[in-house]
Amino acid sequence: MPLHMMLKKKHLSAGRVPLILFLCQLISALDVPLDSKLLDDLVQPPTITQQSPKDYIIDPRENIVIQCEAKGKPPPSFSWTRNGTHFDIDKDPLVTMKPGSGTLVINIMSEGKAETYEGVYQCTARNERGAAISNNIVVRPSRSPLWTKERLEPIVLRNGQSLVLPCRPPIGLPPAIIFWMDNSFQRLPQSERVSQGLNGDLYFSNVLPEDTREDYICYARFNHTQTIQQKQPISLKVISAKSSKERPPTFLTPEGNESHKEELRGNVLSLECIAEGLPTPIIYWIKEDGTLPVNRTFYRNFRKTLQIIRVSEADSGNYQCIAKNTLGAVHHTISVTVKAAPYWIVAPQNLVLSPGENGTLICRANGNPKPRISWLTNGVPIEIALDDPSRKIDGDTIIFSNVQESSSAVYQCNASNKYGYLLANAFVNVLAEPPRILTSANTLYQVISNRPALLDCAFFGSPMPTIEWFKGTKGGALHEDIYVLHDNGTLEIPVAQKDSTGTYTCVAWNKLGMAKNEVHLEIKDPTRIIKQPEYAVVQRGSKVSFECKVKHDHTLIPTIMWLKDNGELPNDERFSTDKDHLVVSDVKDDDGGTYTCTANTTLDSASASAVLRVVAPPPTPAPIYDVPNPPFDLELTNQLDKSVQLTWTPGDDNNSPITKFIIEYEDAMHEAGLWRHQAEVSGTQTTAQLKLSPYVNYSFRVMAENSIGRSMPSEASEQYLTKAAEPDQNPTAVEGLGTEPDNLVITWKPLNGFQSNGPGLQYKVSWRQKDGDDEWTSVVVANVSKYIVSGTPTFVPYLIKVQALNDVGFAPEPAAVMGHSGEDLPMVAPGNVRVNVVNSTLAEVHWDPVPPKSVRGHLQGYRIYYWKAQSSSKRNRRHIEKKILTFQGSKTHGMLPGLQPYSHYALNVRVVNGKGEGPASTDRGFHTPEGVPSAPSSLKIVNPTLDSLTLEWDPPSHPNGILTEYILKYQPINSTHELGPLVDLKIPANKTRWTLKNLNFSTRYKFYLYAQTSVGSGSQITEEAITTVDEAGILPPDVGAGKGKEEWRKEIVNGSRSFFGLKGLMPGTAYKVRVGAEGDSGFVSSEDVFETGPAMASRQVDIATQGWFIGLMCAVALLILILLIVCFIRRNKGGKYPVKEKEDAHADPEIQPMKEDDGTFGEYSDAEDHKPLKKGSRTPSDRTVKKEDSDDSLVDYGEGVNGQFNEDGSFIGQYSESRPGNEQRWKLCGQEMEARTMGISSTNRNWRRTLDLNQEKNALCLMTSATPPVLQTTQVIVMNLEGSFKD
């Protein structure tokens, strides 16, 4: 095994093998450093780590520093040779060596010259394991010589001639950089016509008059010494010719038709062709028998120079340049040969071997010509070095077999040809070491999911250790069917997934021991742009917003960067950014372009772009506001046992910002189809960490809400089934109550499926007596919420526990709840019952409590039964139903309200528990004192005469004591319902009938009747009655009203009716009415007394029954009918009714309308008074007028549709607003009335017209009649007049 120590480096996948090989070739040319931890206790031959270049040009103005750094264990010592012989630095006071280093410092700043120390230097680093040597370092001081003085003659040319201005700079070290400038240090302009060659000369294909100047100056810049040398100025004068003769191209450089160019491999090949001619020639390049290499070919100096970088042997061949103008073309062929200094094919690599192992050192190089390979050991040619039986030289290879510790040495391989040499050091270090792992312990690797993961395990050991990888604490070694195991110990996971997260152990072992190391791998979610910026077309001067919502792993913090056209955003305050948005305000035309959002984390990045186009602002439609669109792209990440992260993409907010998101879940296992509230987050969030319950098959959906309302739900997320776990809660509402004296019923509210946390939900029910020493008794039940414990003592306190359990385990230990076994009826009655009568309706009762043990249950209170035994007045000996009052808790007294005054009561007291009542106490009696009586039961007035009224009444239903007297009060009521003086009268208690005499005839009286005991007066009963006008007209009273001798008259009424009219009753008569209902429950009745109204006096005359009145009314009706017919005929013929004719025939100065201008009276007329009615304007046959047919209707001024009549028959119309001409119209109202009633007899035409305009803008047109016949006629006329006004 040739390589025991491996580099800690990343390896690429198998698909990139060619690139890996190339890198290995590159790395193999370098030394392999040992890990710093190994250097502490491992020996190592010297290794050169830093040295000066082979061709080392120094600045003579500074000290000379020749570098030589090396490492090894033990640290190496250094020595130098100069020009092939030992360089004794101790003898030269100007030369020192840096401590711990081989670097030489030659102090020439104080004294000495740089030229003194020119030569070839070589450094040797040596320790007990061997010696390493540096390259031959050729040290030369830089030189920047001056131009030799020369006399330059002015140049005079004709227009169109060619010209070469020579530079010929002095030879310096390194070569100078040439450029042409004028006296003002301004570079001379160059073009296809004028250009500088590779040798520094300035070429003119043809001169022009503007080329005339006196300061063509060539400058040489020596960068090493930072100096610039200047040539003498050259003067050029171009004489203008009338006509310049054109000519075909010829080459100014190179000369002839062919030339040769040799270049070394890896350098830049520069080929040049500069031609003259008129017009100016153009240069073209081709390669004979081939094409110019792509990506390595460049044209310089206006295509006059062809450059090929990194030239190789394949670039050898013939290159042709062609100069062409309008008069012809010229060709030149350059033969290119590419030689090569030695270059490595396989450079020797360090060998770390264990005793007895075999190995090889290979030194393979190439070049043109082929290089010669020579070997050295510890800086000495191997041919003259000490012989080592373990090695064998075979050309470019040294073969080692059965090495021992003495075989350790440093070998040098030298490959050289005439163009240069290569020198490489490679040591052979023979060690016996157990494995060591160089990668730091507990290194954390973070990788984006679905990408390769590389876990390093850099190791060292001799012999070469074997590497194995393990995941977690269990399981076997990882194999290459899923993983890739690299030779350097690196474990590659080609496609890392979430389940790749974990701890990995690297184990290295050989025959001398074993070492292991743990590393940790975390898989992160990729960064994605879930809401990309969108193409936008905006108006100039408006605002545009690009949204860039990034979804990333919650442990990675992304950095959002916005670019415009792949560059930074303009430094303008109009551009503002926040977490998710780029906002451009006051958009301008140059703001158009491509905007890119880039999200970078420490592990990955994502980007998205959108184009902004700026246009002129068209008319903008009003925005549409609506509820948001539903969220979408729901994704579950970080799926743990009791939590999950939900991420979503918001929908369009429809111009109203989203204020919050509502998250709901569905439990497909227990409550499929039922969505429940899970959480709410603000409208700026697009992710939420959700707490989960075990053993639930979750699906989630999200709704967005803005000021308009709530969106439709999103599509449901994928389902996520959480693992089962033991219940985390116990049943609630645990109670223990007995239903029988010998049982205990334990009940609880069971857990639902969501709360079960797993399959096999059961309940462990436990109980024991609270005050005893018994152990807990337990039973496990399922699918119930009640358990009955039988055989318990009566009403004993128990401690109860109900614990949930499932197939996984038990819920937390529940708290004990106290309950009681079943109750039984109390055994003892309350004693020492005492009654204290407070007043006639209130008594206070006291008793002694019963012993607690005798209650045998929860004491709910005490219950008092009381009843009225009989009245003290002994008028009512009927037993009354018992009443009950319950007093809660342990109270030992209570109040009995609502007692009947002047009554004898009895009561007893019982104790009450949850089972019922205990035995009653001994009955205790008591008396209530007298009180005021109730109102008399009834009051009626019978036998009314001219000056007397008889009152009859029934005693109070509740006298509440012994009645002492009645008090009667009465007073007259006049026609305006005013009350007269009040008269008081006391009546003995044994009277129920009383006659009042000397009353006024035909007068209404109001009566008030009270009953009175020794305590005071009770409530009153009232009644009204009227004395008669003429005794001759008074009928005898109805015998059925008072004395009971009249037989009952019976009417059968439908059971669905609630009223019935009684006919044929006598005036001024009292009747008793009874209403009975008969049904399944028997016959139930109720009765009442009422009195009919008084009879009219006999000398009153009913005018409606008089013959003359009937005849008069018929005549009036006939006249009105004739008038209506005439109105219809005239209206249908000639339009509106002419008022002017009636005014002329019956002039009345009171009703003449007044003109608006001079106060004189005028006519009620307009231009269309006598025109025929338009179609559709005629009054219908039902005498109604449509609103749209009239331009001037009383309906326009009234609040209602039609006018109304007062009790006296006058018409009332009300204006709803003040309109012009109201005064004139209301005056004309009277004229119209009179005109319509012209046919009525003058004796019946006593009209009064009134005009009343008040502050309320209301007007009344009243027309009344002195006699009733005319009044009735007036009502008919006014109703018809309303229709005429509507016309």
Side-chain angles (χ1 to χ4, degrees):
M1 295 286 181
L3 185 61
H4 291 194
M5 184 191 66
M6 308 304 292
L7 285 174
K8 178 183 177 182
K9 59 183 182 291
K10 303 281 185 180
H11 281 258
L12 304 176
S13 62
R16 302 178 182 173
V17 171
L19 182 58
I20 291 176
L21 294 177
F22 174 75
L23 291 175
C24 289
Q25 293 175 5
L26 184 61
I27 293 171
S28 66
L30 303 175
D31 194 13
V32 180
L34 285 176
D35 187 272
S36 60
K37 293 180 290 186
L38 293 174
L39 293 177
D40 295 338
D41 54 0
L42 290 179
V43 293
Q44 176 195 4
T47 301
I48 300 293
T49 59
Q50 191 172 4
Q51 56 184 314
S52 294
K54 294 178 181 179
D55 190 6
Y56 185 28
I57 300 174
I58 62 173
D59 188 343
R61 299 169 299 178
E62 298 178 354
N63 290 335
I64 302 172
V65 178
I66 307 174
Q67 289 186 331
C68 179
E69 303 290 342
K71 66 178 181 179
K73 186 70 175 182
S77 60
F78 297 89
S79 62
W80 285 87
T81 62
R82 179 184 176 196
N83 297 327
T85 61
H86 178 67
F87 182 40
D88 191 351
I89 61 175
D90 295 333
K91 294 182 179 181
D92 191 336
L94 300 181
V95 180
T96 58
M97 186 182 296
K98 290 184 178 181
S101 167
T103 299
L104 295 180
V105 178
I106 304 174
N107 186 4
I108 61 173
M109 296 293 293
S110 57
E111 57 179 310
K113 295 183 178 181
E115 290 78 3
T116 306
Y117 294 95
E118 283 191 67
V120 179
Y121 292 80
Q122 189 173 41
C123 171
T124 300
R126 186 185 307 274
N127 69 7
E128 62 186 32
R129 287 274 169 160
I133 61 175
S134 69
N135 293 323
N136 289 326
I137 303 171
V138 180
V139 177
R140 295 181 294 171
S142 64
R143 290 185 289 271
S144 53
L146 300 175
W147 255 284
T148 57
K149 291 186 178 181
E150 57 182 334
R151 182 179 180 83
L152 300 176
E153 297 294 334
I155 301 173
V156 179
L157 295 176
R158 289 182 180 274
N159 182 24
Q161 290 182 294
S162 63
L163 172 64
V164 179
L165 295 181
C167 180
R168 293 191 289 274
I171 298 175
L173 188 67
I177 297 174
I178 305 302
F179 50 92
W180 289 81
M181 292 193 300
D182 58 15
N183 278 330
S184 301
F185 295 98
Q186 299 297 317
R187 285 186 178 270
L188 297 177
Q190 298 188 23
S191 63
E192 292 178 343
R193 186 179 61 84
V194 181
S195 61
Q196 176 184 317
L198 294 176
N199 62 355
D201 294 345
L202 190 62
Y203 293 87
F204 293 80
S205 295
N206 49 78
V207 296
L208 296 175
E210 56 263 29
D211 295 330
T212 298
R213 63 190 312 149
E214 296 181 352
D215 54 352
Y216 283 93
I217 305 173
C218 181
Y219 289 88
R221 182 175 66 203
F222 297 94
N223 286 341
H224 214 78
T225 58
Q226 297 295 315
T227 57
I228 296 177
Q229 304 294 353
Q230 174 183 339
K231 184 182 176 69
Q232 292 293 325
I234 301 175
S235 175
L236 171 62
K237 182 178 181 181
V238 179
I239 301 174
S240 298
K242 293 183 179 180
S243 62
S244 300
K245 185 178 180 180
E246 295 184 347
R247 61 186 182 277
T250 59
F251 283 109
L252 297 176
T253 185
E255 298 178 352
N257 295 328
E258 294 182 356
S259 60
H260 180 76
K261 176 75 172 181
E262 185 177 282
E263 190 59 75
L264 290 180
R265 178 181 182 271
N267 290 348
V268 177
L269 172 65
S270 296
L271 305 178
E272 182 180 57
C273 285
I274 300 177
E276 63 86 17
L278 189 65
T280 302
I282 303 299
I283 304 299
Y284 301 92
W285 292 90
I286 62 173
K287 183 181 182 183
E288 297 179 1
D289 301 328
T291 58
L292 295 174
V294 180
N295 298 330
R296 293 191 296 118
T297 301
F298 301 93
Y299 298 99
R300 312 292 186 195
N301 197 19
F302 307 100
R303 297 185 65 90
K304 298 173 186 178
T305 301
L306 171 69
Q307 286 187 343
I308 300 176
I309 62 174
R310 301 188 302 275
V311 68
S312 66
E313 291 88 339
D315 295 323
S316 299
N318 293 329
Y319 292 81
Q320 192 176 91
C321 63
I322 304 167
K324 184 184 295 184
N325 68 4
T326 57
L327 299 182
V330 64
H331 302 260
H332 183 90
T333 301
I334 304 175
S335 177
V336 175
T337 301
V338 178
K339 298 294 184 178
Y343 57 90
W344 293 117
I345 296 176
V346 178
Q349 301 291 322
N350 294 330
L351 278 179
V352 178
L353 301 174
S354 61
E357 284 190 331
N358 304 326
T360 57
L361 281 180
I362 299 175
C363 178
R364 197 161 293 157
N366 199 2
N368 188 8
K370 183 76 173 178
R372 184 178 68 86
I373 303 297
S374 61
W375 289 95
L376 297 87
T377 177
N378 297 326
V380 178
I382 201 167
E383 294 82 2
I384 62 175
L386 292 176
D387 189 30
D388 184 356
S390 66
R391 72 174 179 239
K392 178 183 177 181
I393 301 173
D394 184 8
D396 59 4
T397 304
I398 300 179
I399 302 172
F400 298 92
S401 58
N402 192 24
V403 296
Q404 301 301 319
E405 188 173 351
S406 60
S407 301
S408 298
V410 181
Y411 291 84
Q412 291 83 33
C413 173
N414 187 305
S416 61
N417 63 12
K418 68 175 184 177
Y419 297 108
Y421 73 94
L422 291 174
L423 178 67
N425 291 275
F427 63 71
V428 175
N429 196 13
V430 181
L431 295 172
E433 290 291 332
R436 304 185 187 189
I437 296 179
L438 309 181
T439 300
S440 299
N442 294 312
T443 300
L444 175 63
Y445 295 89
Q446 295 180 331
V447 178
I448 298 298
S449 64
N450 297 318
R451 295 189 183 181
L454 297 171
L455 308 182
D456 292 334
C457 183
F459 61 91
F460 174 82
S462 181
M464 177 89 162
T466 300
I467 302 299
E468 289 183 322
W469 281 92
F470 300 86
K471 182 180 181 183
T473 58
K474 299 180 181 179
L478 304 180
H479 300 289
E480 295 203 15
D481 53 348
I482 299 177
Y483 303 90
V484 178
L485 303 177
H486 292 276
D487 293 338
N488 66 346
T490 297
L491 174 67
E492 178 181 350
I493 306 174
V495 181
Q497 300 292 338
K498 284 288 187 180
D499 56 2
S500 302
T501 300
T503 299
Y504 292 79
T505 304
C506 168
V507 178
W509 57 273
N510 63 13
K511 64 183 180 180
L512 299 178
M514 181 192 73
K516 65 179 180 180
N517 184 44
E518 288 186 351
V519 297
H520 307 283
L521 176 62
E522 290 183 356
I523 306 301
K524 305 295 184 180
D525 293 324
T527 301
R528 295 191 295 122
I529 298 179
I530 57 176
K531 179 68 173 177
Q532 299 185 358
E534 297 179 350
Y535 171 81
V537 178
V538 299
Q539 294 84 31
R540 189 185 313 113
S542 62
K543 178 191 291 186
V544 65
S545 175
F546 291 106
E547 185 176 11
C548 181
K549 283 192 177 295
V550 178
K551 182 179 180 182
H552 59 90
D553 193 278
H554 72 281
T555 62
L556 301 178
I557 301 177
T559 301
I560 309 299
M561 179 185 302
W562 287 91
L563 304 175
K564 180 180 184 293
D565 298 329
N566 294 324
E568 293 185 358
L569 292 176
N571 186 15
D572 191 332
E573 61 182 9
R574 296 183 299 108
F575 291 79
S576 61
T577 60
D578 58 17
K579 179 182 178 183
D580 298 326
H581 293 82
L582 165 66
V583 178
V584 184
S585 304
D586 190 18
V587 175
K588 302 183 184 304
D589 290 334
D590 56 1
D591 293 335
T594 301
Y595 290 83
T596 303
C597 164
T598 302
N600 296 303
T601 67
T602 55
L603 299 181
D604 65 343
S605 64
S607 64
S609 300
V611 175
L612 171 63
R613 188 162 67 91
V614 183
V615 297
T620 56
I624 299 176
Y625 299 93
D626 202 353
V627 299
N629 292 346
F632 59 93
D633 192 20
L634 272 66
E635 184 175 357
L636 299 178
T637 57
N638 295 340
Q639 297 174 349
L640 303 177
D641 290 347
K642 291 190 177 182
S643 69
V644 71
Q645 180 171 284
L646 175 65
T647 305
W648 63 89
T649 302
D652 195 325
D653 62 8
N654 291 325
N655 299 307
S656 179
I658 296 174
T659 56
K660 65 179 178 180
F661 291 99
I662 299 94
I663 303 171
E664 295 181 336
Y665 73 90
E666 176 197 29
D667 181 4
M669 182 183 300
H670 304 107
E671 297 177 325
L674 180 62
W675 290 91
R676 295 186 179 275
H677 183 273
Q678 173 76 24
E680 291 184 5
V681 297
S682 70
T684 59
Q685 290 185 235
T686 58
T687 182
Q689 194 74 22
L690 305 178
K691 293 184 179 180
L692 307 181
S693 295
Y695 199 58
V696 176
N697 195 8
Y698 281 97
S699 292
F700 299 96
R701 69 182 187 183
V702 184
M703 292 174 285
E705 186 173 295
N706 61 11
S707 60
I708 307 300
R710 183 174 294 183
S711 72
M712 296 293 292
S714 67
E715 295 290 334
S717 70
E718 60 180 314
Q719 290 187 345
Y720 177 48
L721 176 62
T722 54
K723 294 181 180 179
E726 63 274 4
D728 52 17
Q729 58 181 305
N730 286 300
T732 57
V734 177
E735 290 184 348
L737 297 174
T739 57
E740 298 295 336
D742 60 348
N743 74 4
L744 172 66
V745 180
I746 303 173
T747 59
W748 60 90
K749 182 180 179 182
L751 302 182
N752 56 35
F754 183 84
Q755 299 167 324
S756 64
N757 288 3
L761 177 65
Q762 294 178 299
Y763 303 100
K764 179 183 177 182
V765 184
S766 305
W767 66 92
R768 70 176 177 87
Q769 288 191 21
K770 178 177 181 297
D771 300 326
D773 297 330
D774 298 342
E775 296 292 331
W776 287 93
T777 303
S778 300
V779 63
V780 177
V781 296
N783 301 321
V784 295
S785 61
K786 179 174 71 173
Y787 183 77
I788 300 176
V789 181
S790 301
T792 62
T794 301
F795 196 66
V796 173
Y798 277 84
L799 293 180
I800 303 165
K801 294 189 295 186
V802 179
Q803 185 179 20
L805 67 149
N806 59 20
D807 293 348
V808 179
F810 285 84
E813 184 69 22
V817 176
M818 191 174 75
H820 286 82
S821 58
E823 300 177 78
D824 205 346
L825 294 177
M827 297 185 297
V828 178
N832 193 20
V833 178
R834 306 173 303 279
V835 181
N836 176 28
V837 178
V838 179
N839 56 39
S840 62
T841 60
L842 181 65
E844 183 178 14
V845 183
H846 291 261
W847 61 90
D848 291 342
V850 299
K853 289 187 178 180
S854 69
V855 178
R856 297 201 294 179
H858 294 285
L859 175 62
Q860 295 186 354
Y862 291 88
R863 188 169 294 162
I864 299 177
Y865 284 77
Y866 64 100
W867 61 95
K868 189 167 65 170
Q870 64 179 10
S871 174
S872 297
S873 60
K874 299 183 180 181
R875 293 183 301 181
N876 184 6
R877 301 178 182 271
R878 183 169 58 90
H879 182 73
I880 298 178
E881 182 182 358
K882 294 182 179 181
K883 296 182 181 180
I884 303 173
L885 274 180
T886 302
F887 299 91
Q888 303 293 334
S890 59
K891 291 184 67 174
T892 58
H893 64 91
M895 307 296 288
L896 300 182
L899 301 178
Q900 186 72 38
Y902 202 62
S903 300
H904 177 70
Y905 281 89
L907 61 83
N908 57 50
V909 184
R910 313 177 192 200
V911 66
V912 182
N913 64 11
K915 188 71 172 178
E917 299 175 351
S921 67
T922 304
D923 290 352
R924 178 72 62 183
F926 64 95
H927 294 270
T928 56
E930 282 188 285
V932 296
S934 63
S937 299
S938 65
L939 173 63
K940 54 191 176 184
I941 290 87
V942 298
N943 300 330
T945 64
L946 285 176
D947 59 353
S948 68
L949 291 172
T950 301
L951 283 71
E952 291 183 354
W953 63 89
D954 289 327
S957 57
H958 300 287
N960 297 335
I962 299 174
L963 295 181
T964 58
E965 61 186 357
Y966 291 99
I967 297 176
L968 175 63
K969 298 181 181 181
Y970 63 95
Q971 58 189 146
I973 304 174
N974 62 18
S975 60
T976 59
H977 302 286
E978 295 176 350
L979 298 175
L982 190 65
V983 178
D984 288 351
L985 183 63
K986 293 184 179 182
I987 302 174
N990 57 350
K991 299 290 185 179
T992 59
R993 179 184 178 93
W994 196 263
T995 300
L996 297 174
K997 298 181 180 180
N998 299 320
L999 301 178
N1000 297 328
F1001 70 93
S1002 188
T1003 301
R1004 179 179 294 273
Y1005 286 89
K1006 187 168 185 178
F1007 301 95
Y1008 313 88
L1009 182 64
Y1010 306 84
Q1012 189 166 350
T1013 65
S1014 61
V1015 177
S1017 299
S1019 302
Q1020 68 179 12
I1021 184 173
T1022 64
E1023 188 58 270
E1024 293 184 10
I1026 303 174
T1027 55
T1028 59
V1029 177
D1030 188 352
E1031 287 185 346
I1034 299 177
L1035 298 176
D1038 192 329
V1039 295
K1043 299 183 179 180
K1045 298 179 181 179
E1046 179 81 11
E1047 293 185 0
W1048 288 91
R1049 285 182 284 176
K1050 185 175 182 182
E1051 295 284 350
I1052 303 299
V1053 183
N1054 191 327
S1056 62
R1057 296 184 61 181
S1058 60
F1059 66 92
F1060 183 76
L1062 299 176
K1063 299 180 180 179
L1065 303 180
M1066 298 298 293
T1069 304
Y1071 287 89
K1072 181 180 290 186
V1073 179
R1074 179 182 299 161
V1075 179
E1078 187 172 7
D1080 296 336
S1081 59
F1083 183 81
V1084 179
S1085 66
S1086 176
E1087 60 183 46
D1088 196 4
V1089 177
F1090 71 95
E1091 184 177 346
T1092 57
M1096 296 294 291
S1098 61
R1099 55 175 176 256
Q1100 291 278 344
V1101 178
D1102 188 358
I1103 191 172
T1105 61
Q1106 303 299 313
W1108 65 269
F1109 179 77
I1110 296 174
L1112 177 61
M1113 292 305 298
C1114 291
V1116 171
L1118 180 61
L1119 290 175
I1120 292 174
L1121 178 61
I1122 295 172
L1123 179 59
L1124 292 176
I1125 294 173
V1126 173
C1127 289
F1128 261 99
I1129 294 174
R1130 296 199 55 144
R1131 182 182 302 174
N1132 292 336
K1133 286 184 179 182
K1136 297 182 179 180
Y1137 191 91
V1139 179
K1140 185 67 170 66
E1141 298 177 6
K1142 302 303 178 181
E1143 291 177 352
D1144 294 340
H1146 308 281
D1148 189 343
E1150 292 182 3
I1151 61 172
Q1152 294 298 319
M1154 183 177 290
K1155 294 182 180 180
E1156 295 178 1
D1157 51 350
D1158 57 0
T1160 59
F1161 294 101
E1163 297 178 330
Y1164 175 72
S1165 177
D1166 57 36
E1168 297 182 1
D1169 277 348
H1170 305 287
K1171 292 180 182 180
L1173 293 175
K1174 296 180 181 179
K1175 183 179 179 181
S1177 65
R1178 296 183 179 181
T1179 306
S1181 59
D1182 60 355
R1183 304 304 298 156
T1184 62
V1185 180
K1186 295 182 180 179
K1187 176 77 167 65
E1188 60 271 15
D1189 292 341
S1190 174
D1191 294 329
D1192 192 13
S1193 169
L1194 286 178
V1195 177
D1196 292 338
Y1197 301 93
E1199 292 181 355
V1201 176
N1202 299 315
Q1204 300 177 358
F1205 289 93
N1206 280 343
E1207 292 180 358
D1208 58 357
S1210 61
F1211 175 78
I1212 301 175
Q1214 292 182 336
Y1215 279 106
S1216 61
E1217 60 181 349
S1218 179
R1219 293 175 51 171
N1222 284 345
E1223 181 178 358
Q1224 183 181 17
R1225 281 185 168 87
W1226 284 113
K1227 289 180 179 179
L1228 292 176
C1229 171
Q1231 298 173 10
E1232 189 77 5
M1233 293 294 182
E1234 185 170 344
R1236 299 295 180 91
T1237 56
M1238 290 300 295
I1240 303 175
S1241 172
S1242 59
T1243 58
N1244 296 327
R1245 237 183 349 103
N1246 184 12
W1247 295 96
R1248 178 169 58 88
R1249 293 173 297 278
T1250 304
L1251 178 64
D1252 182 13
L1253 299 174
N1254 57 24
Q1255 298 297 329
E1256 304 291 337
K1257 299 182 182 178
N1258 296 328
L1260 300 174
C1261 178
L1262 298 93
M1263 290 178 289
T1264 60
S1265 173
T1267 59
V1270 180
L1271 176 62
Q1272 297 179 15
T1273 305
T1274 303
Q1275 294 177 356
V1276 177
I1277 294 173
V1278 173
M1279 290 177 67
N1280 291 329
L1281 281 176
E1282 183 183 3
S1284 176
F1285 268 73
K1286 289 180 181 178
D1287 289 340

